[in-house]
Amino acid sequence: MLHTSSFLYQLHCRFGSLTLPPHSSCMSYNTTAGSWSCKQLQSRLGSLRSCRSEFRVMCRQVLDSIKTCHVQEVDKNGDSGESNLFLHVQTLRNFPIEKIYGEVVIVRFDSTLVLEALDSNNFSLDKSLFTIKYLFNAGAKVLLVSNWGRPHDPMLLSVESLADRLSSLLQVKVVPANDGSGLMQSKMNKWENVDILLLDNLTMFREEVANCSKFSEKLSSGATIFVNDAFSLSHKILASTVGVTRFCHASVAGFNFEEELLQLKNISKTTRQPYVAIIGGSNFLEKANALHLLASKCDGLYFFGKLAFQVMNALGLSVPGCFVEQDAVGEALKLIQHAHCRKIPIYFPNDFWCINNSKQDPLEIFPSGSILTGWTPIDLGPVSLKELSSLLSICKKILLIGSIKFDSVKDTVGASKLALMLQGISMTGCDVTVVGNAACKAVAGTSCSVSQYKMFNNASVVWEFLKGRILPGVAALDRAYPHDLDWNIAFTDPSQPLIIDIGSGNGLFLLKMARRCQNYNFLGLEINKKLVRHCLNNVVQSNIKNGEEHRWRMVQRTLIEAIIDLLITNGKFMTLQVFLQSDIEAVATRMKEQFIMYAKGRLLVDGDENMGWLEENPFGIRSDWEQHVIDRGAPMFRIMLRKVR
């Protein structure tokens, strides 16, 4: 149980499970013992800022140059299912900048984006470098990890070469570490003259793909904060994206990760209509669930490539046997029926350019369903392209996902014409999202600027999301609560002192306390499998869903630091103390040690420390579990901590 003031804005910055009002609405929140204005709270950080006044200016310049909205914004039109809950993560943008200074931060960056930036000659605008620049300017020691190339490729770029290229981009010396051992004690001397260290290529380590726990610990040794900026790997379970989060007290999304995550969420939104999905590629069975979701969101689906032939085959049209996927007819019929129930159209090409399999005859055009034996479709026909252009011209939102070429065909006229259509439509304000390496290259090849598109080179991440699956790289990050809470509605009088019960169980203890102490507000936090908010009089209980017991223990360094910052030292009894109790001595000891460690001299044991655990609960009210433990004759381990400065 924790006792603190009701001024909760700082908690929003440090504990991602609560999103509280902005500064303007917090100005009226006062403690019982005395008012704390926003200026007074910020002044506590004055000495840090004065020591390094320039770094915040530089960081702010980086933030201003990123045109990304907050991932935590309320999604009123998106999917509110379980998988969508895991898309709300804590971001570097919202992480307290003063908590970065002097820390060792491990950054998982996307080397593909960096290498592409080297070829684009547009270094200053490359979003993949924003995260690294921001952390460096904030005074962090940055440890970079990534993978590139293949293990036995003779042309594989060395870690020294990549470090040199990063140095030229960042205008800061990046030093290669030449191994994957992280910040072992033998490397600490390097940090005396180095601010950015690049570890060796993770492609060389099998433990990376195996998500080896020991390798993850070794990789992150010495680091306290993990920043994931490689969104393209979110669908994989890797040591450098999932495993390391177990050994860092904070795991957040970098700026590139945040931007792409926001774009991913945008795919499922239907605020702009008509919304049409253009879907290519193959493997209908594997993508069936994703296609059903698109049929539920979009106002029309346009299939081409092998997927189009599965729809045509289900409708009874003649299709070349080499294009028919086994056992796909049933799923195709289900999709057609689903679209029929929603009264949305499913489109497929009306004609194709075809090539003779046995002769070198010129290409010929065949209508759909009338392709002669021995002829193979290789491109969209003129009628199909004209109808597709007409369809897209009325759209306000378009999703292009999957390969836009047929098998064994390197370049097609249809692909380039489709790319030109999208370029023209995007100039009119249409929201265009392009997914897949081939589609992105086709669009980039016909456009003078790709900034008007939302692009995902790795289609696997998007397909996994559309299938309703949780992305491991996203789920491993710290959670941010996806909704704003109106504390004026939750509490009758938000200015009253607040008692927070961490590990509130079923909330009965809070209810008893609320009946006895009418002049206090109460907030209960509990890890549970259900996501609920229950309001009763002046009692609020929030349950946070997560099944990872070790990573998501409630008492973590980030929460402890937030609590210490919120506790006031000149107030009454109920505003400056932390009460800890457990029926397991090891747990109580661990909590006590963590609070004292991360308080950094600001918390002391209340009373005589040599007296050991408190024999009685000082509040006179027992929780149901506490009563259960006492009834069976077992001890409770209690201690009260007091803030001294």
Side-chain angles (χ1 to χ4, degrees), residues 48 52 98-105 138-141 224:
L48 174 61
R52 190 161 178 165
E98 67 275 7
K99 297 293 185 182
I100 298 174
Y101 184 82
E103 297 287 347
V104 176
V105 181
K141 300 290 187 179
T224 56

Side-chain angles (χ1 to χ4, degrees), residues 179-434:
D179 61 52
S181 60
L183 301 179
M184 302 302 287
Q185 191 64 35
S186 60
K187 290 190 176 62
M188 292 306 295
N189 293 333
K190 283 193 173 184
W191 287 115
E192 295 180 2
N193 301 311
V194 175
D195 289 311
I196 303 179
L197 190 66
L198 174 65
L199 291 190
D200 205 353
N201 191 349
L202 293 179
T203 301
M204 312 301 294
F205 299 92
R206 291 180 296 179
E207 298 91 338
E208 159 73 350
V209 179
N211 188 27
C212 174
S213 179
K214 291 184 178 180
F215 180 75
S216 300
E217 184 175 13
K218 191 177 182 182
L219 192 66
S220 59
S221 59
T224 56
I225 301 172
F226 169 64
V227 178
N228 192 348
D229 215 25
F231 185 77
S232 62
L233 300 174
S234 296
H235 62 301
K236 296 183 178 182
I237 302 177
L238 304 173
S240 64
T241 60
V242 176
V244 294
T245 62
R246 297 181 57 196
F247 306 102
C248 297
H249 88 268
S251 299
V252 302
F255 297 126
N256 177 63
F257 194 108
E258 176 190 5
E259 181 178 346
E260 296 203 26
L261 181 58
L262 182 63
Q263 292 178 3
L264 182 68
K265 293 172 63 178
N266 184 60
I267 292 177
S268 64
K269 292 183 179 180
T270 58
T271 51
R272 304 198 68 187
Q273 295 175 315
Y275 177 16
V276 171
I278 309 171
I279 310 167
S282 56
N283 299 322
F284 195 99
L285 278 176
E286 181 182 331
K287 298 170 180 174
N289 290 339
L291 297 177
H292 273 78
L293 185 141
L294 289 175
S296 300
K297 297 290 183 181
C298 299
D299 302 302
L301 305 180
Y302 189 101
F303 289 96
F304 59 97
K306 275 193 172 183
L307 292 181
F309 293 117
Q310 312 319 309
V311 176
M312 295 165 60
N313 185 46
L315 293 172
L317 299 176
S318 177
V319 176
C322 62
F323 284 93
V324 176
E325 297 180 16
Q326 296 294 327
D327 303 323
V329 175
E331 289 296 337
L333 286 173
K334 290 180 182 178
L335 181 66
I336 294 170
Q337 179 63 30
H338 181 48
H340 177 73
C341 293
R342 284 203 65 224
K343 298 181 180 180
I344 65 168
I346 290 183
Y347 303 96
F348 52 83
N350 284 310
D351 60 344
F352 296 95
W353 283 102
C354 300
I355 189 172
N356 194 305
N357 298 334
S358 59
K359 301 178 181 180
Q360 297 298 323
D361 292 340
L363 301 179
E364 290 192 18
I365 300 174
F366 288 91
S368 301
S370 301
I371 301 174
L372 298 179
T373 303
W375 290 81
T376 301
I378 62 169
D379 201 358
L380 297 177
V383 175
S384 298
L385 287 171
K386 183 177 180 180
E387 292 183 346
L388 181 57
S389 177
S390 177
L391 170 65
L392 299 183
S393 65
I394 64 173
C395 291
K396 297 298 182 182
K397 184 173 181 178
I398 297 172
L399 170 67
L400 172 61
I401 181 169
S403 176
I404 57 178
K405 64 181 182 179
F406 289 75
D407 287 351
S408 72
V409 179
K410 293 183 178 180
D411 298 301
T412 62
V413 175
S416 59
K417 287 188 175 180
L418 175 57
L420 288 172
M421 291 179 202
L422 295 177
Q423 180 184 3
I425 294 169
S426 65
M427 299 299 290
T428 65
C430 181
D431 185 349
V432 179
T433 301
V434 183

